[in-house]
Amino acid sequence: MRIEKQVEERMRDGTVLRADVYRPDRAGSWPALLLRLPYDKTTRHYRETLVDIERLTAAGYVVVIQDVRGRFASGGEFYPFIDEASDGYDAVEWAARLPEVNGDVGMIGMSYHGFTQVAAAAVQPPSLQAIAPMMTFADGWGTMRGSRGVLELGKWQSWVAESMLPDHLERAEGPEGPARISAYLKHLPSWLGKGDPLTWPPVTAAGLPSYYRDFLLGDVSAEARQRMQATPESIKVPALFLAGWYDCFLEETMDLYQRSAGLAELWIGPWTHEDQSGQAGDVFFPGAQVDRTGLFLQWFDRWLKDGTAPLRDPVHYYVMHAGEWWSGAEMPEGQAGAVFNLHPDGLLSAEMPKLEQPGRQVTHDPGDPVPTSGGNILMSGFPAGSFDQQEIQARNDVLVYTGAPLQSDWEILGTVQAHLRMTLSRPDLPIGLRVSEVKPDGSAWNVVDTVQAEEHTIDIGRTAYRFSAGSRLRMEIYLSSFPRMENRQHPVWAQIHGASQLHVFAETPPVFKD
């Protein structure tokens, strides 16, 4: 493998972006695989962990890793998402003209560098032949602002402080710049959500980047927001999407798969945003790890080379606690719908509660918010995945509804949805919901969860999950999740009425013990 460092590309507005180019050892003309990212491209993660560049070049690809505008070696000013469509178009066409590149380009990457693929593909550069976005989204503005009506403050603060500020300071002040916030970064989890977000010490100490405040206040023009959004229906090239059951961008990635116009393939594993080994929180799912580089090679060989690889089923997903990968023509969605009613005594049952029974009230105490615990999160110091929720479910500010023990194993597939009849202390009050599996020993392991500002119908999440015989289905309702959500400074409450329901799609109807 031959490496050429800091190769320059000039954008249409004259800004110079820089990339490292990795070429096969042998002479030839090869397709290029382009990765455009705002993070440090020199780290081992981007050469060996995310993908194995040695294998890609040995297989006959030129790999190009480029710093996006305003980050690390590239010129210009960084503002999240806003230049990735136009810069991505230019970068693809530039990569196609590099020495030893045959004119065909694919794109790889996850999260923000998944978005750089989606944004570029949506504006259809002629040389782009296929993409492979992992755990990503099409709407940078809506996703980071909170597409479900709730700003996930902990995620936003973690990303800005941990991932963006060090390079921001080094570019402004030189190598000594990042040292000014090192104490904050060392203890960042303890700072998340503390105080007024607009005067949050880790960012004010750094010299507040304009986008931090803009995103918090929603102070961005309609034209700028439009530039942060890609149109999935405009993606015509083949796209391989990878998603995680415990990833914060699960719904966004699945939406991309459904809406993209080209041939698409989807893989969903029991992965978090930061770990795709099969370890998701305190639970390990055997057989869940995939050879990501091998999967990408099969995909790009089909579309950038001879195209002889056999077509696979379009959807592949891991069924948690079945230990199996299933595949098919459609996203997992069970054919048997099960409806559970929320009873005022805490029972979760197919039977309707008596209408004269009063509802249950849950209250938020600003002095003691419900802590964030696992699930589909991405926050510094707060691991995602599945954890025993017994301690949280025992709190008096969490409503718990529990079903009867299952007589046999039961697979739920697809969307888990709540239909709530509520009286709220104020309109658009954010509600936290979690569904878990309660084992015979009393441990309660989260399956899906969400925080949303909806009043009636709430999609809690999608999953493919096998409940074991003897376990119980449990749903909980709460009004705070700190520091995932900003801690409200005044008490609020919600009254849950007896006609509320939980809807679950499954392979077969559940059978309960007598």
Side-chain angles (χ1 to χ4, degrees):
M1 180 174 66
R2 293 170 289 136
I3 307 172
E4 186 177 3
K5 297 285 190 177
Q6 309 298 11
V7 180
E8 293 189 358
E9 173 198 2
R10 192 170 297 276
M11 297 288 100
R12 64 187 70 178
D13 65 354
T15 301
V16 173
L17 306 189
R18 293 179 176 87
D20 293 343
V21 180
Y22 300 79
R23 294 185 173 91
D25 282 328
R26 57 199 187 278
S29 182
W30 319 102
L33 296 179
L34 173 64
L35 171 63
R36 304 189 64 252
L37 74 167
Y39 312 123
D40 186 356
K41 67 181 184 297
T42 67
T43 61
R44 179 179 174 182
H45 176 77
Y46 298 106
R47 301 192 310 272
E48 301 177 22
T49 307
L50 179 67
V51 289
D52 185 338
I53 290 181
E54 290 267 10
R55 284 178 64 188
L56 294 178
T57 55
Y61 289 92
V62 174
V63 180
V64 183
I65 307 183
Q66 183 185 66
D67 295 324
V68 302
R69 178 183 296 255
R71 296 292 292 172
F72 294 91
S74 287
E77 181 180 354
F78 177 76
Y79 198 98
F81 316 116
I82 205 164
D83 292 302
E84 306 309 349
S86 57
D87 285 356
Y89 184 107
D90 291 352
V92 166
E93 295 308 306
W94 167 78
R97 298 190 301 269
L98 284 171
E100 299 182 53
V101 173
N102 66 7
D104 290 334
V105 179
M107 295 185 76
I108 55 177
M110 70 173 287
S111 197
Y112 192 105
H113 34 105
F115 174 80
T116 62
Q117 298 177 65
V118 171
V123 293
Q124 302 176 7
S127 301
L128 185 62
Q129 304 301 315
I131 60 175
M134 178 177 176
M135 298 182 178
T136 193
F137 45 86
D139 181 356
W141 170 258
T143 298
M144 298 308 287
R145 278 280 300 164
S147 56
R148 297 169 182 86
V150 178
L151 173 66
E152 296 203 21
L153 183 62
K155 178 172 69 176
W156 177 243
Q157 290 182 331
S158 295
W159 183 70
V160 172
E162 205 164 46
S163 298
M164 311 311 291
L165 286 185
D167 180 62
H168 169 84
L169 283 169
E170 184 161 346
R171 292 170 70 90
E173 303 175 17
E176 300 303 316
R180 290 202 295 107
I181 62 167
S182 60
Y184 291 114
L185 295 183
K186 185 177 180 180
H187 303 287
L188 187 60
S190 66
W191 282 99
L192 295 178
K194 296 292 178 64
D196 182 353
L198 293 173
T199 57
W200 192 51
V203 293
T204 53
L208 194 69
S210 61
Y211 56 83
Y212 175 82
R213 182 182 180 90
D214 293 348
F215 271 69
L216 286 180
L217 296 177
D219 189 17
V220 175
S221 69
E223 185 272 335
R225 295 183 193 187
Q226 187 64 38
R227 290 172 59 192
M228 297 181 198
Q229 300 170 4
T231 304
E233 291 81 2
S234 298
I235 299 175
K236 309 293 186 182
V237 297
L240 171 65
F241 296 101
L242 276 69
W245 288 128
Y246 289 106
D247 176 49
C248 59
F249 302 130
L250 170 64
E251 293 297 332
E252 289 82 356
T253 308
M254 296 178 81
D255 181 67
L256 269 167
Y257 167 76
Q258 288 184 296
R259 295 173 58 194
S260 62
L263 188 146
E265 190 172 309
L266 174 67
W267 289 69
I268 317 170
W271 306 320
T272 71
H273 201 75
E274 297 182 310
D275 192 340
Q276 296 87 52
S277 69
Q279 189 71 43
D282 280 343
V283 179
F284 179 74
F285 297 97
Q289 189 172 30
V290 298
D291 176 8
R292 192 159 50 225
T293 300
L295 195 62
F296 290 157
L297 281 172
Q298 292 173 10
W299 182 253
F300 288 116
D301 283 353
R302 183 191 304 169
W303 302 112
L304 274 67
K305 291 191 174 181
D306 57 21
T308 59
L311 290 173
R312 298 181 288 233
D313 284 336
V315 178
H316 306 256
Y317 55 96
Y318 184 95
V319 182
M320 292 179 283
H321 295 300
E324 300 170 352
W325 283 94
W326 293 5
S327 65
E330 305 289 342
M331 287 201 299
E333 196 72 47
Q335 299 303 305
V339 177
F340 299 89
N341 294 284
L342 279 59
H343 290 244
D345 61 358
L347 179 65
L348 197 61
S349 167
E351 297 180 2
M352 289 290 294
K354 297 178 180 179
L355 294 178
E356 66 271 15
Q357 289 181 300
R360 300 175 72 189
Q361 182 167 305
V362 59
T363 301
H364 161 64
D365 175 6
D368 185 23
V370 178
T372 301
S373 177
N376 296 56
I377 59 173
L378 181 59
M379 298 190 303
S380 178
F382 290 80
S386 188
F387 294 90
D388 185 359
Q389 305 292 332
Q390 286 184 92
E391 185 175 340
I392 287 179
Q393 292 171 356
R395 293 173 58 106
N396 60 13
D397 55 356
V398 176
L399 296 184
V400 174
Y401 300 85
T402 308
L406 290 163
Q407 182 172 297
S408 56
D409 291 353
W410 181 51
E411 282 116 12
I412 62 174
L413 297 175
T415 303
V416 180
Q417 191 176 73
H419 296 249
L420 301 180
R421 286 193 64 240
M422 302 183 291
T423 302
L424 305 176
S425 61
R426 67 172 179 81
D428 299 321
L429 180 67
I431 300 290
L433 299 173
R434 181 185 288 124
V435 170
S436 55
E437 178 185 17
V438 184
K439 301 288 190 178
D441 64 2
S443 60
W445 301 88
N446 54 290
V447 180
V448 291
D449 74 287
T450 190
V451 288
Q452 292 192 33
E454 299 284 349
E455 291 196 14
H456 300 292
T457 301
I458 301 176
D459 288 343
I460 306 175
R462 301 197 209 195
T463 192
Y465 189 100
R466 176 177 290 175
F467 282 72
S468 59
S471 68
R472 301 168 185 256
L473 181 71
R474 175 172 288 170
M475 175 179 170
E476 58 192 279
I477 303 175
Y478 43 94
L479 299 181
S480 55
S481 179
F482 184 79
R484 184 179 186 177
M485 295 191 296
E486 183 178 359
N487 186 20
R488 289 179 291 273
Q489 298 305 305
H490 303 285
V492 291
W493 56 265
Q495 186 90 11
I496 311 300
H497 303 300
S500 297
Q501 296 179 328
L502 176 68
H503 290 217
V504 178
F505 289 95
E507 276 285 271
T508 58
V511 179
F512 300 102
K513 292 183 178 180
D514 295 333

